[in-house]
Amino acid sequence: MPGTVLLLAASPMGKGRLVDAASVLPVLAAVAPAVLAGTDTANVVELADPLDPQAVLTRLRAAAAAPGPLSVFVTGQLQLDRRQHLPHLALARTTPATVRYTALPWHWIREELRLRPAGATTLVVDLHADAETWEHLHGTPLDSGRNNAVYGRIAPPPPRRQVAPPSYMKAVATLLRSGSRPPMEQLHEQALARTAEEGGAHRDLVLAATRGPGGADPHAEISAAVRAGRHADADAVAARHEQAAVRALGAASEDALHWAEVRADLAMFAGDPVRSCRTWLTVASARLAAGQAADAPAVEAAVDRAHHQWGRIDDRARARELGPALAELRLRVPGRRQGALDHVQQHLRQLQTQG
């Protein structure tokens, strides 16, 4: 099965730049796609200094939907948003004051990869953190998802007025240019050794977490069913796990809500935006009722996805039925995209006028 590779290198323009992220792309691009992916054949998507987090999300979502092994190479810098203090990957237009709107929330990466089976996804990262984020990460490790293998390093901020090179990722690319891809653990250790030779790496936070397919992984079973077009079977597996979580832990538990979110995604894959939208609305309402903040990542994600699926509903009667509930949620959860509430209200007026 072909592999998929996403190369993402991003850092702010101007004086906020800590790392020359894009400089690694020519070195990575010189590696054969099959070697980057560790498969016989591979498709490569390259994002160099992207401007818009939504555009990155679209590419990430498409890569996550690919059926074969996925390798994501991320080079850049981490910054915290001022409201929630959550790590974001800074993009070209990011400044400390605009992180929430111009950077890619790291939890979006985790969320987009969560339906992939264990052992099918590898993240290779070379990240620099600003001073505030560096301090934050010592108490709250970067969460890249429970099913993904993660290798790389997070470096502290370079000295003032200096822009650091992405030494770890360049070492990875140089090693891969030999034409073979050793096991990731070995490649990681070799890249760390080369980075250490350049000095300063002793302070880095080293990331090396393998997520193998050990045990019965329901996500793998679900993914296989979706790839085979057996959408009802996939939903049945998720429904069983949701019901078990509700019985054991309650409908508002994180486990039960996780499986509800899986079922919302499965409805989307099955081409049923009505069911997907309705499920996301239910999840968002449950999270708010449980006391989660309107700008909590899981709440925002649920409302954003409900909104996205609502826009894909062709049946006007069903769209009119779900529109008021979405508008009510958008009042409480405006999200990151400006004009989201206005869009819902305008579209709902059109639906009501058209009858």
Side-chain angles (χ1 to χ4, degrees):
M1 189 175 290
T4 300
V5 178
L6 179 62
L7 306 178
L8 171 56
S11 52
M13 304 293 186
K15 62 182 181 180
R17 174 173 291 201
L18 301 178
V19 57
D20 184 11
S23 66
V24 78
L25 286 176
V27 194
L28 282 170
V31 180
V35 175
L36 281 173
T39 55
D40 291 337
T41 60
N43 301 308
V44 178
V45 177
E46 182 178 308
L47 294 174
D49 278 329
L51 301 174
D52 179 19
Q54 293 292 334
V56 178
L57 178 62
T58 299
R59 297 296 185 89
L60 176 64
R61 186 167 290 165
L70 171 63
S71 297
V72 182
F73 294 80
V74 183
T75 309
Q77 68 188 63
L78 294 174
Q79 293 178 222
L80 299 179
D81 71 287
R82 290 181 172 175
R83 183 185 298 185
Q84 296 172 291
H85 300 284
L86 293 172
H88 288 57
L89 182 72
L91 302 184
R93 293 186 295 203
T94 300
T95 66
T98 65
V99 170
R100 179 172 166 80
Y101 301 101
T102 61
L104 181 78
W106 191 261
H107 61 264
W108 283 11
I109 297 176
R110 182 192 68 220
E111 284 294 306
E112 291 306 319
L113 300 178
R114 67 191 166 86
L115 264 188
R116 292 182 56 80
T121 308
T122 302
L123 279 166
V124 184
V125 303
D126 187 353
L127 301 167
H128 282 69
D130 65 10
E132 182 184 13
T133 310
W134 181 247
E135 183 177 343
H136 170 85
L137 290 172
H138 280 79
T140 308
L142 197 64
D143 182 1
S144 301
R146 57 185 177 183
N147 288 338
N148 310 315
V150 184
Y151 297 95
R153 61 92 182 247
I154 304 174
R160 283 192 70 181
R161 296 189 177 87
Q162 288 189 24
V163 176
S167 305
Y168 172 85
M169 195 65 79
K170 283 187 174 178
V172 167
T174 302
L175 289 163
L176 290 176
R177 284 181 68 179
S178 66
S180 65
R181 174 166 164 164
M184 274 306 306
E185 295 87 350
Q186 184 180 335
L187 177 64
H188 171 65
E189 291 298 333
Q190 291 174 354
L192 284 178
R194 289 199 178 198
T195 306
E197 289 174 4
E198 298 182 14
H202 62 279
R203 293 184 59 205
D204 293 352
L205 294 174
V206 176
L207 308 176
T210 304
R211 301 286 184 264
D217 177 19
H219 297 85
E221 184 181 356
I222 289 167
S223 297
V226 170
R227 288 198 298 272
R230 295 184 286 107
H231 298 287
D233 291 346
D235 185 66
V237 174
R240 286 200 305 272
H241 285 278
E242 182 185 12
Q243 290 158 10
V246 169
R247 287 194 300 270
L249 304 167
S253 67
E254 201 56 46
D255 253 19
L257 290 172
H258 165 75
W259 287 109
E261 291 173 345
V262 168
R263 296 187 72 192
D265 279 337
L266 291 175
M268 175 190 68
F269 293 141
D272 188 347
V274 173
R275 182 159 56 94
S276 183
C277 176
R278 184 177 284 121
T279 307
W280 281 120
L281 291 173
T282 301
V283 168
S285 298
R287 290 191 177 281
L288 289 168
Q292 295 186 24
D295 60 358
V299 175
E300 284 190 341
V303 178
D304 286 347
R305 286 171 171 161
H307 190 162
H308 181 261
Q309 289 299 294
W310 183 65
R312 291 176 173 263
I313 298 174
D314 294 327
D315 185 324
R316 290 176 181 172
R318 292 293 187 90
R320 279 198 301 273
E321 172 196 339
L322 294 171
L326 176 60
E328 184 179 337
L329 273 173
R330 268 297 180 215
L331 276 169
R332 300 178 64 185
V333 187
R336 294 164 182 257
R337 300 196 75 169
Q338 292 184 346
L341 175 60
D342 291 341
H343 174 266
V344 174
Q345 293 172 332
Q346 181 182 355
H347 188 40
L348 192 53
R349 282 195 297 270
Q350 289 174 345
L351 289 168
Q352 290 165 342
T353 302
Q354 289 164 355

